[in-house]
Amino acid sequence: KAGVTQTPRYLIKTRGQQVTLSCSPISGHRSVSWYQQTPGQGLQFLFEYFSETQRNKGNFPGRFSGRQFSNSRSEMNVSTLELGDSALYLCASSSRGFGQGLGEQYFGPGTRLTVT
Amino acid sequence: DQQVKQNSPSLSVQEGRISILNCDYTNSMFDYFLWYKKYPAEGPTFLISISSIKDKNEDGRFTVFLNKSAKHLSLHIVPSQPGDSAVYFCAATGRSRGSARQLTFGSGTQLTVLP
């Protein structure tokens, strides 16, 4: 079974631009979560999608948004980029359905975003 | 406010000895705890977990201990091997009314096992 894939792996953008990151979950997984990892902050939860619906959201500004498609692939978008958005963005997929708890999450390798 | 804290950013241990990684949490609603390991350029991989109804869970060389009264958990690796060198993240989750569960991560501890 193929793992979680994320594209692109590396990205350089300038302040004020917007960016879209993509995540393809493990086949059969319907839950996709996004995390931001910065030095010293660990992984911070952005949001989770299940069956095309956002069912949980972390404490991030509205510039961060996401969506999930019918094939469970997910995208996250960051608008009006700031220097502080430079981070590793990780996506994780899970097989657990809504209300069935968290389940084990499988992470992709991440997208390294640098904002200059 | 960090609900999951890993106060040691780094730890060095000699090969064959025990590695002990610590984690503290503040949210009393957390009822499930996990450890993830992360190598450079890879995503975190699940290592071991423990439910709040237990105080110990063991899987091979890895054992997680949970002290609910102290809101503290630890990961023991015995014996430590050079391949264990990685960043270890502690994570927790709990029931939240109106929301699906989510994972709250600590900031990670870089473990280096010296040959």
Side-chain angles (χ1 to χ4, degrees):
Chain A
K1 222 181 218 185
V4 177
T5 58
Q6 292 186 246
T7 56
R9 292 294 308 277
Y10 301 92
L11 203 50
I12 299 175
K13 291 283 189 178
T14 56
R15 275 180 301 175
Q17 286 187 313
Q18 75 163 18
V19 67
T20 299
L21 312 181
S22 180
C23 171
S24 292
I26 290 173
S27 177
H29 285 191
R30 296 164 66 188
S31 167
V32 174
S33 298
W34 287 89
Y35 296 86
Q36 181 195 66
Q37 184 188 1
T38 53
Q41 289 294 314
L43 280 72
Q44 297 194 71
F45 175 75
L46 280 154
F47 28 65
E48 185 209 359
Y49 286 87
F50 181 82
S51 292
E52 303 179 65
T53 301
Q54 186 185 90
R55 66 174 181 177
N56 215 343
K57 191 177 191 306
N59 189 26
F60 277 81
R63 300 185 297 107
F64 292 81
S65 63
R67 59 179 176 168
Q68 187 179 33
F69 302 94
S70 58
N71 61 357
S72 294
R73 190 177 70 85
S74 177
E75 289 181 346
M76 69 162 278
N77 183 277
V78 188
S79 62
T80 320
L81 283 166
E82 300 177 359
L83 293 178
D85 296 334
S86 294
L88 180 68
Y89 289 88
L90 291 158
C91 149
S93 76
S94 172
S95 61
R96 289 290 185 109
F98 183 80
Q100 295 176 23
L102 189 69
E104 184 177 321
Q105 292 200 329
Y106 296 83
F107 283 83
T111 294
R112 173 72 63 186
L113 172 64
T114 302
V115 182
T116 62
Chain B
D1 178 36
Q2 279 191 303
Q3 298 186 63
V4 178
K5 297 179 184 178
Q6 294 177 257
N7 293 316
S8 298
S10 64
L11 174 69
S12 290
V13 170
Q14 208 68 36
E15 181 180 4
R17 307 293 288 269
I18 183 172
S19 294
I20 300 176
L21 296 99
N22 294 303
C23 178
D24 297 295
Y25 62 96
T26 57
N27 190 336
S28 57
M29 298 300 290
F30 287 150
D31 60 3
Y32 194 72
F33 305 87
L34 308 90
W35 284 93
Y36 282 82
K37 178 169 72 172
K38 186 180 185 300
Y39 293 117
E42 294 181 14
T45 55
F46 170 75
L47 197 56
I48 192 169
S49 62
I50 187 167
S51 165
S52 60
I53 62 173
K54 295 185 174 182
D55 54 18
K56 176 183 174 181
N57 189 27
E58 195 171 350
D59 183 2
R61 297 186 297 113
F62 303 90
T63 303
V64 56
F65 295 92
L66 175 63
N67 182 333
K68 289 186 289 295
S69 60
K71 292 191 174 66
H72 176 85
L73 65 155
S74 60
L75 174 68
H76 293 211
I77 307 174
V78 184
S80 300
Q81 300 172 354
D84 296 330
S85 297
V87 177
Y88 288 79
F89 290 99
C90 168
T93 181
R95 296 198 176 277
S96 176
R97 183 185 298 183
S99 295
R101 284 176 173 269
Q102 68 183 60
L103 281 178
T104 301
F105 282 83
S107 55
T109 296
Q110 170 70 57
L111 173 66
T112 302
V113 180
L114 305 167

